Amino acid sequence: MAVATAQPQEMEVIPSRWARAWKALGKFIMTKPLGAIGGAIIVVMILAAVFAPQIAPYDPYELNQTLQFGVPSLSHPFGTDEFGRDLFTRIIYGAKIALIIGFSASFLGATGGAIVGVVSAYMGGRTDLIIQRIVDILLAFPLLILALAIASVLGRSTFNLVIAIAIPVIPRTARIVRSSALSAKELVYVEAARAVGSSHIRVMFRHIIPNIMAPYLIILTAQLGSAILTEASLSFLGLGQAEPEPSWGLMLSGGAPLYAEKAPWVAIFPGVAISLAVFGFNLLGDSLRDALDPRLRGRT
């Protein structure tokens, strides 16, 4: 009998959770229309990456010299490149590369930076001083320059590209998370946890990290656009993806500079794809910051 009565209660809890989630989503769309537009761009990008084999009309690697520099048409909406490959197909498949590298690099960089920031704030003293001086040194280099240097040392591969983009994100995340962790470690229940003898690891991961999730999520979302742009820049400079991979940056670095006047669509459409992706993630990141920041929440 106890099991029979518990099932209806569980069935009631699940719809209520979904109802709250949909209500929160609807409120976000109404109060943050620009963020909703950014989210819609990201959803379209994710769907294109997941269903690329079903959406793309051609093989992204298929060469056809008879279609070299074909103008945009019904059969080739974005035209063809210098090898006769369909640009629309390659841009769709390029969304998968951009998302994989962007999400991986942003997650690794933001998570590593969050851990460094929490440890620095919690330990304090000499540990905090040493970590912050290292962070200052890394912050002295622009993100792209530091990623370029790391990619040059590590070599050309997808894994090395993710590492090269993630490392410059760590100091930027650590500096922001540290400020939130300094406030969180002074909370009463954190003091109580330390008073009853909880270990440093338990206090940091059980009590402090949950309190810095809002800035962490904001940084993670904001850095996604930056990671995609950095990947495109490194591919453009010859340190990212290699031919024949359908990378957006690689498309720009291929025949686009040489044939800008003859076939401008070779550069225009990959550039538009990069711009839309960065624009969407930046809009969503700014809206999440406004929605999750208690100091800004009252203004909406």
Side-chain angles (χ1 to χ4, degrees):
M1 295 297 293
V3 175
T5 57
Q7 290 179 348
Q9 292 178 356
E10 293 178 359
M11 294 178 64
E12 291 177 1
V13 170
I14 294 175
S16 64
R17 291 176 179 174
W18 279 105
R20 288 196 298 268
W22 283 110
K23 184 178 179 180
L25 179 61
K27 182 180 179 181
F28 180 80
I29 293 174
M30 294 298 295
T31 57
K32 305 292 180 184
L34 291 179
I37 293 173
I41 294 173
I42 296 169
V43 170
V44 171
M45 187 177 172
I46 293 173
L47 292 176
V50 173
F51 298 103
Q54 290 74 30
I55 299 174
Y58 301 99
D59 185 342
Y61 305 103
E62 182 181 358
L63 305 179
N64 191 343
Q65 292 296 334
T66 61
L67 297 176
Q68 186 181 39
F69 295 121
V71 298
S73 61
L74 291 177
S75 56
H76 299 280
F78 291 173
T80 59
D81 61 10
E82 66 270 26
F83 298 109
R85 298 173 297 194
D86 182 62
L87 279 177
F88 178 70
T89 298
R90 289 180 63 78
I91 287 175
I92 290 177
Y93 275 88
K96 181 178 181 180
I97 294 177
L99 284 175
I100 290 175
I101 295 177
F103 273 110
S104 301
S106 299
F107 177 76
L108 287 177
T111 303
I115 294 174
V116 170
V118 169
V119 171
S120 178
Y122 179 79
M123 299 304 294
R126 183 173 297 180
T127 302
D128 184 35
L129 180 64
I130 294 173
I131 291 176
Q132 291 310 305
R133 296 299 73 77
I134 296 174
V135 167
D136 289 338
I137 293 172
L138 294 176
L139 287 175
F141 297 93
L143 189 148
L144 180 59
I145 301 300
L146 186 57
L148 180 63
I150 296 171
S152 301
V153 173
L154 295 179
R156 192 171 185 174
S157 71
T158 301
F159 177 76
N160 292 341
L161 185 60
V162 170
I163 298 300
I165 298 173
I167 290 177
V169 176
I170 292 176
R172 289 160 174 80
T173 307
R175 181 57 59 84
I176 297 173
V177 168
R178 175 179 175 273
S179 62
S180 298
L182 285 172
S183 301
K185 81 170 188 176
E186 303 298 333
L187 295 174
V188 175
Y189 57 84
V190 175
E191 296 283 349
R194 286 189 291 190
V196 297
S198 297
S199 64
H200 294 319
I201 298 295
R202 180 178 177 82
V203 173
M204 285 188 287
F205 283 87
R206 184 71 180 270
H207 301 289
I208 295 181
I209 286 183
N211 283 282
I212 55 94
M213 289 307 295
Y216 168 79
L217 292 175
I218 294 169
I219 296 167
L220 177 63
T221 307
Q223 289 298 329
L224 277 167
S226 178
I228 291 174
L229 185 60
T230 304
E231 183 275 328
S233 302
L234 293 177
S235 296
F236 181 83
L237 296 172
L239 292 171
Q241 297 294 309
E243 284 284 1
E245 292 298 324
S247 167
W248 292 341
L250 201 58
M251 294 180 204
L252 289 175
S253 66
L258 299 176
Y259 307 105
E261 295 183 1
K262 180 180 179 181
W265 55 86
V266 177
I268 290 175
F269 291 113
V272 170
I274 295 171
S275 300
L276 279 177
V278 175
F279 182 66
F281 281 113
N282 286 343
L283 282 180
L284 182 60
D286 290 342
S287 297
L288 283 177
R289 180 199 63 195
D290 296 343
L292 297 176
D293 192 336
R295 294 170 297 180
L296 301 176
R297 197 177 301 162
R299 302 179 187 178
T300 58

